[in-house]
Amino acid sequence: MQGSPFQGFEFEAYMAMKAKKINKMLDEAIPLRHPLKLNEAMRYSLLAGGKRVRPILCIASCELVGGDESLAMPIACAIEMIHTASLIHDDLPCMDNDDLRRGKPTNHKVFGESTAFLAGDAFLSFAFEHIACNTNNVSPDRLVRIFAELSSVIGSKGLVAGQFVDIESEGKAVSLKELEYIHVHKTAKLLEACVVCGVIIGGGNDNDIEKVRIYARFIGLLFQVVDDILDVTKSSVELGKTAGKDLVSNKATYPKVMGIDEAKNFAYHLMNQVVQQLACFDTAKAAPLYHLAYCIANRQN
Amino acid sequence: MQGSPFQGFEFEAYMAMKAKKINKMLDEAIPLRHPLKLNEAMRYSLLAGGKRVRPILCIASCELVGGDESLAMPIACAIEMIHTASLIHDDLPCMDNDDLRRGKPTNHKVFGESTAFLAGDAFLSFAFEHIACNTNNVSPDRLVRIFAELSSVIGSKGLVAGQFVDIESEGKAVSLKELEYIHVHKTAKLLEACVVCGVIIGGGNDNDIEKVRIYARFIGLLFQVVDDILDVTKSSVELGKTAGKDLVSNKATYPKVMGIDEAKNFAYHLMNQVVQQLACFDTAKAAPLYHLAYCIANRQN
């Protein structure tokens, strides 16, 4: 980061402040109402910690184009709910069959398979309900655009398609093209929706949207490359989830396809591209987005 | 129906014509694109037949307040997708573990558990995408109301809550209050969303919405009471799904709680209430909604 125009920004304080507000809103969004166990299961995974990268990306993008944090908050929370739904479902026995997530037992290990399953289903629709019922001072046509953007990144052209191809590819030889399809659909599209929805709700124009889309595509790839590298270089305790699992399951990863050194070079290249994308924005307003990318590139778990 | 003001309406022709158009739109909504097997699984359950009661209710409600069929079609199709998602997920081994649905093997029996699971997830979001991308000539504020209405009937205050309480109640003594909670959430709320969304998209006012809400609550109850009666009085072949299953699994049903004769009396009472609700509407425009209720009350499978 030496010599970067984004030096000096108090990124850790910014993240902590945003995460605190997001956690408060997420806590209030799912009260302990009837049926109790279902809502407990939803709260267990939603409030399990995590860095809140996606909702912060959404809020930072709203602020990038001059919008207030409060405008983006319901959408930011909804995105975290969608992300949580995908984690709960991906961990289930009939999917990746994982026991650990964010250092804690996975949802179905605590609440049982059928409850975890339904908690995920509930989040997929509650996310939309949360936006529709809590967004104020935004024109309905911008809200409809957000519904279109968000719904398209989840289903059979988004998250679900990525998870499907990922599971189908287990135990098979996987080309780089297939590998990128999985990561674009499982990871990058939701990150893209974070920044695009943030800019839409913040009042940005089509040009702003296009710029953050490109930014998001680079950090989406970056996120997955780093995730794959960590899976082969770190222990389960360090990661807070089962390490080395991709290797054992013969799952497609960047280190497996291109080797660990080339995967690291690729991550470095992507970070340079991110810096170039943000060069045309106001430096102060773009600082959180730069630091988020830097944080993704350099995370240790 | 003798002496009814709704006599003479060609209901079967109306249903056949509407179902044909809906089936065509559903067929076009899910093309056989990559990933092929996922889209095949979605098409398998979406196009498996069924009477299309929910989408027709939506279109009939739109027409009730003077709206054109084409306005309601994307929402009608989206509602059938949500219904299909709930059927696929309910049939899974970790839920009701059912082998037959609409006379055919259930989705996971044909495509495997993980694909069926993801097909259901895909529908839950694709329904919203389908509305956002295909609805024309409707003000965005009406669309936002529809998103709020539809999303609220699926999640932890709707379908998912009903399915959760249903599964939790298996093998336990169930009060009539709990029984009604399950049916309101699993069945009635989606039927209510059909007519409410139809009226909103058709240009109806708050008074129209309130009237169809009450109508929907009665047919929702009616639907479940008749379903429960059929489960104990018909064979698997007649139903096109496993009969007597509720009894074996000790699941809450109306015949079990109030006895078969009282359940039949309750259905008769509900049908009378429906007729009273529709009395204040234009007879010709209300005829489909009357006949739909009559059809629900008198169906044999």
Side-chain angles (χ1 to χ4, degrees):
Chain A
M1 203 187 297
Q2 284 151 334
S4 157
F6 303 107
Q7 259 183 301
F9 176 73
E10 296 288 345
F11 182 63
E12 280 181 26
Y14 175 88
M15 289 295 280
M17 180 193 65
K18 293 296 189 200
K20 193 178 170 190
K21 288 182 187 174
I22 290 161
N23 286 335
K24 182 172 179 290
M25 298 312 286
L26 291 174
D27 183 47
E28 289 172 8
I30 315 282
L32 275 173
R33 65 185 153 223
H34 181 71
L36 204 62
K37 191 181 161 192
L38 176 65
N39 286 288
E40 279 173 348
M42 292 171 77
R43 288 175 60 83
Y44 175 80
S45 290
L46 188 65
L47 307 176
K51 293 172 285 295
R52 310 306 186 195
V53 171
R54 289 163 192 79
I56 294 175
L57 261 178
C58 180
I59 291 170
S61 303
C62 174
E63 293 176 335
L64 179 73
V65 293
D68 190 78
E69 173 192 275
S70 64
L71 283 175
M73 189 57 86
I75 295 153
C77 289
I79 287 170
E80 191 69 8
M81 291 174 198
I82 291 165
H83 175 58
T84 303
S86 80
L87 298 182
I88 296 173
H89 279 181
D90 285 6
D91 288 339
L92 282 170
C94 68
M95 296 282 135
D96 296 348
N97 195 19
D98 232 316
D99 295 347
L100 277 176
R101 170 70 69 181
R102 289 173 177 167
K104 296 169 70 179
T106 46
N107 200 294
H108 65 274
K109 284 281 160 190
V110 178
F111 295 94
E113 198 175 340
S114 63
T115 301
F117 179 93
L118 290 171
D121 275 9
F123 273 130
L124 285 181
S125 57
F126 187 69
F128 293 103
E129 185 183 349
H130 187 72
I131 295 172
C133 299
N134 293 283
T135 308
N136 300 309
N137 305 316
V138 173
S139 69
D141 62 307
R142 282 190 185 258
L143 262 187
V144 171
R145 283 180 74 182
I146 280 163
F147 279 116
E149 184 77 28
L150 259 189
S151 57
S152 75
V153 302
I154 307 171
S156 54
K157 289 177 251 171
L159 273 171
V160 168
Q163 176 68 1
F164 178 82
V165 175
D166 193 9
I167 284 181
E168 292 283 298
S169 74
E170 270 182 40
K172 293 177 189 163
V174 175
S175 69
L176 194 58
K177 196 181 159 196
E178 289 167 310
L179 181 54
E180 285 188 347
Y181 179 91
I182 294 168
H183 296 153
V184 163
H185 289 76
K186 275 193 76 167
T187 307
K189 282 199 172 196
L190 188 58
L191 293 172
E192 191 175 319
C194 294
V195 296
V196 168
C197 290
V199 167
I200 292 173
I201 210 79
N205 61 31
D206 288 347
N207 194 35
D208 298 327
I209 291 171
E210 199 45 39
K211 284 177 191 167
V212 294
R213 260 196 213 285
I214 297 168
Y215 161 84
R217 282 172 193 166
F218 285 122
I219 66 161
L221 273 171
L222 188 59
F223 192 91
Q224 195 58 49
V225 175
V226 173
D227 214 50
D228 288 352
I229 292 170
L230 290 173
D231 184 72
V232 291
T233 58
K234 297 283 179 180
S235 71
S236 296
V237 173
E238 285 172 300
L239 291 181
K241 63 180 179 181
T242 314
K245 203 167 184 310
D246 295 343
L247 213 62
V248 173
S249 69
N250 205 7
K251 198 176 212 176
T253 71
Y254 281 94
K256 206 178 288 173
V257 172
M258 53 172 63
I260 185 78
D261 288 337
E262 197 54 40
K264 284 179 181 174
N265 278 341
F266 186 41
Y268 182 79
H269 163 75
L270 288 168
M271 189 61 208
N272 281 338
Q273 293 288 326
V274 163
V275 174
Q276 284 183 35
Q277 288 306 314
L278 292 176
C280 56
F281 281 103
D282 175 89
T283 307
K285 285 183 176 168
L289 294 178
Y290 167 78
H291 283 270
L292 270 161
Y294 187 87
C295 170
I296 288 168
N298 292 282
R299 70 206 166 94
Q300 299 301 315
N301 59 43
Chain B
M1 204 186 298
Q2 284 151 335
S4 157
F6 304 106
Q7 259 183 301
F9 176 73
E10 296 288 345
F11 182 63
E12 280 181 27
Y14 174 87
M15 289 295 282
M17 179 193 69
K18 294 295 190 201
K20 193 178 169 189
K21 287 182 188 174
I22 290 161
N23 287 334
K24 183 172 178 290
M25 298 311 287
L26 291 174
D27 183 48
E28 289 171 8
I30 315 282
L32 275 174
R33 67 186 151 221
H34 182 71
L36 203 61
K37 191 181 162 194
L38 177 64
N39 286 288
E40 279 174 347
M42 291 171 78
R43 289 175 60 83
Y44 175 80
S45 290
L46 188 65
L47 307 176
K51 292 171 286 293
R52 310 306 187 194
V53 171
R54 290 162 192 79
I56 294 175
L57 262 178
C58 179
I59 290 170
S61 302
C62 174
E63 293 176 334
L64 179 73
V65 294
D68 191 77
E69 175 191 274
S70 64
L71 283 176
M73 189 56 86
I75 294 153
C77 289
I79 287 170
E80 191 69 9
M81 291 174 197
I82 290 166
H83 176 58
T84 303
S86 81
L87 298 183
I88 296 173
H89 278 181
D90 285 7
D91 288 339
L92 282 169
C94 69
M95 296 282 136
D96 296 348
N97 194 19
D98 232 317
D99 295 346
L100 278 176
R101 170 70 68 180
R102 290 172 176 168
K104 297 169 70 177
T106 45
N107 200 294
H108 64 274
K109 284 281 160 188
V110 179
F111 296 94
E113 199 175 340
S114 63
T115 301
F117 179 94
L118 290 171
D121 274 9
F123 272 131
L124 285 181
S125 57
F126 187 69
F128 293 103
E129 185 183 350
H130 187 72
I131 295 173
C133 300
N134 292 282
T135 307
N136 300 309
N137 305 315
V138 173
S139 68
D141 61 307
R142 283 189 184 260
L143 262 187
V144 171
R145 284 180 73 182
I146 281 162
F147 279 116
E149 184 77 29
L150 259 189
S151 56
S152 75
V153 302
I154 307 171
S156 54
K157 289 177 250 170
L159 274 171
V160 168
Q163 176 68 2
F164 178 83
V165 175
D166 193 9
I167 283 181
E168 291 283 298
S169 75
E170 269 182 42
K172 293 177 188 163
V174 175
S175 70
L176 193 59
K177 195 181 158 195
E178 289 166 310
L179 181 54
E180 286 189 345
Y181 178 92
I182 294 167
H183 295 153
V184 163
H185 288 76
K186 274 193 78 168
T187 307
K189 282 199 172 195
L190 188 58
L191 292 172
E192 192 176 317
C194 294
V195 296
V196 168
C197 291
V199 167
I200 291 173
I201 209 80
N205 60 31
D206 287 347
N207 195 34
D208 298 327
I209 291 170
E210 199 45 37
K211 283 177 190 167
V212 293
R213 261 198 211 283
I214 297 167
Y215 161 85
R217 283 173 192 166
F218 285 122
I219 66 161
L221 273 171
L222 189 60
F223 192 91
Q224 195 59 48
V225 175
V226 173
D227 214 52
D228 288 353
I229 293 169
L230 291 173
D231 184 72
V232 291
T233 58
K234 297 284 178 182
S235 70
S236 297
V237 172
E238 286 172 300
L239 292 182
K241 62 179 179 182
T242 314
K245 203 168 184 309
D246 296 343
L247 213 61
V248 173
S249 69
N250 205 8
K251 197 178 214 177
T253 72
Y254 282 94
K256 207 179 286 172
V257 171
M258 53 172 64
I260 185 79
D261 289 337
E262 197 54 39
K264 284 180 179 173
N265 279 340
F266 186 43
Y268 181 79
H269 162 78
L270 289 167
M271 189 61 207
N272 282 338
Q273 293 287 327
V274 163
V275 174
Q276 284 183 33
Q277 289 305 316
L278 292 176
C280 57
F281 281 104
D282 174 88
T283 309
K285 284 183 176 166
L289 293 179
Y290 167 78
H291 284 270
L292 269 161
Y294 187 87
C295 169
I296 288 170
N298 293 281
R299 70 206 166 94
Q300 299 301 313
N301 60 42

